[in-house]
Every structure is written in C-alpha cells, then in structure tokens.
Amino acid sequence: MGILAELEADMAELSTPTRVYVAVGRFNEPEPDLPELAGQIHALLSAIAVDDAWQRFLPGYTPPSVPEICASLEAVETHAAASFLAQVAAVDLVWPSHRHLPVETAGHAAARVVSLLGPAATWWTNHDAGCGAVNGLTPLFDSLLAGTDGVHFVLALQMADD
C-alpha cells in the first residue's frame, strides 16, 4: 500500500459524519507551500458549505479566500501534531467531556498519520497557541489541523453548531 492510500485509510478513521471532516491528497504543484495547502483548506470548507447537515447553520456562507486562510493559520510543532490531530478528531469543541471517537483509537490513527508524513512535515492550525484564541474559518465553532510533507497533505476540521 502506498503512502497516499495509508494516509487516506488513517484519516478516514479520524472522520466523524457531520462533525469531523477530513481531506487527503497529493499536490499537483511542483513545490507546494502554504498557499497551496490553504487552497485545499478552502476546497474542504467549500464542500462543508454545501453539505446538507450544515447549510441551515451557514446560510450565505462563503469560505475565506486563500490569503485570508493563510493569515489565520499558526504553525504547530511536529512533536505536538499527533496529539492535536487526535484531539480535533475525538474531543467535542463545545462539550469537551463528549467524545466523537475513543481517544485511544484517535491517538493511534493520528500517530500513524504524523509518522507517514515524517519529521520534516509542516503542521498548521487555526488556533493561536499564545493566547488560546481560535481564528475561525466559519461563523461557527471550528478547529483545524493541516499537515504536509511537501508532496501529500492531510486536513482535519471539526465543526460544532452549539
């Protein structure tokens, strides 16, 4: 099984219908950077905006532009990426005692994803670690973690309407 297929399988484990959306792929650009990753985030947000489960909560919503997405992202250290990814997949944004997935399941899948992308991967979130604020990508509660090894990318976005 190739790296893309493994990433797809592991990220699918982290997905929860109508709550945790994931995307996995391979860049087409020769030297992708943050704008190309932000373009993939934009595509995921566009898909969520037309999802029947979210249309009533996002009337008239248009995802931020690629430059706006870039401006909302903060770097995450690689050593913190697996636990952050597991948290995005497992722990509800509004009700932290509620779990979308068992923490152990999410932790194992997240560790495999981070391992597959390798130690040189870059990771990004819409959380400002310095002050604890979230640079929302939607008018609702959302939490994003995006990673890339320069060839492949993974995205996990949790949405909450409460």
Side-chain angles (χ1 to χ4, degrees):
M1 184 182 308
I3 186 171
L4 185 58
E6 289 184 60
L7 287 169
E8 287 170 344
D10 291 332
M11 290 299 289
E13 273 189 59
L14 297 172
S15 175
T16 305
T18 72
R19 286 290 182 213
V20 180
Y21 293 84
V22 299
V24 178
R26 183 181 177 96
F27 289 109
N28 295 321
E29 299 83 5
E31 292 186 33
D33 203 357
L34 188 55
E36 289 76 20
L37 184 62
Q40 296 301 326
I41 296 167
H42 185 274
L44 179 60
L45 291 168
S46 296
I48 292 168
V50 298
D51 185 331
D52 290 340
W54 289 102
Q55 281 188 333
R56 67 185 171 138
F57 299 108
L58 298 168
Y61 169 71
T62 302
S65 68
V66 167
E68 290 169 327
I69 293 171
C70 287
S72 74
L73 298 177
E74 301 283 335
V76 173
E77 296 293 329
T78 300
H79 67 82
S83 63
F84 199 112
L85 181 56
Q87 182 176 339
V88 168
V91 180
D92 189 85
L93 288 172
V94 177
W95 305 105
S97 61
H98 175 74
R99 299 291 183 259
H100 296 294
L101 295 172
V103 173
E104 187 174 294
T105 301
H108 289 308
R112 287 191 307 267
V113 168
V114 171
S115 176
L116 285 166
L117 288 183
T122 56
W123 294 90
W124 301 90
T125 184
N126 62 332
H127 292 254
D128 184 333
C131 69
V134 176
N135 302 316
L137 298 168
T138 70
L140 306 172
F141 293 109
D142 60 68
S143 183
L144 168 81
L145 185 67
T148 180
D149 63 1
V151 176
H152 304 92
F153 65 87
V154 296
L155 310 174
L157 177 69
Q158 184 185 140
M159 298 285 296
D161 60 353
D162 295 327

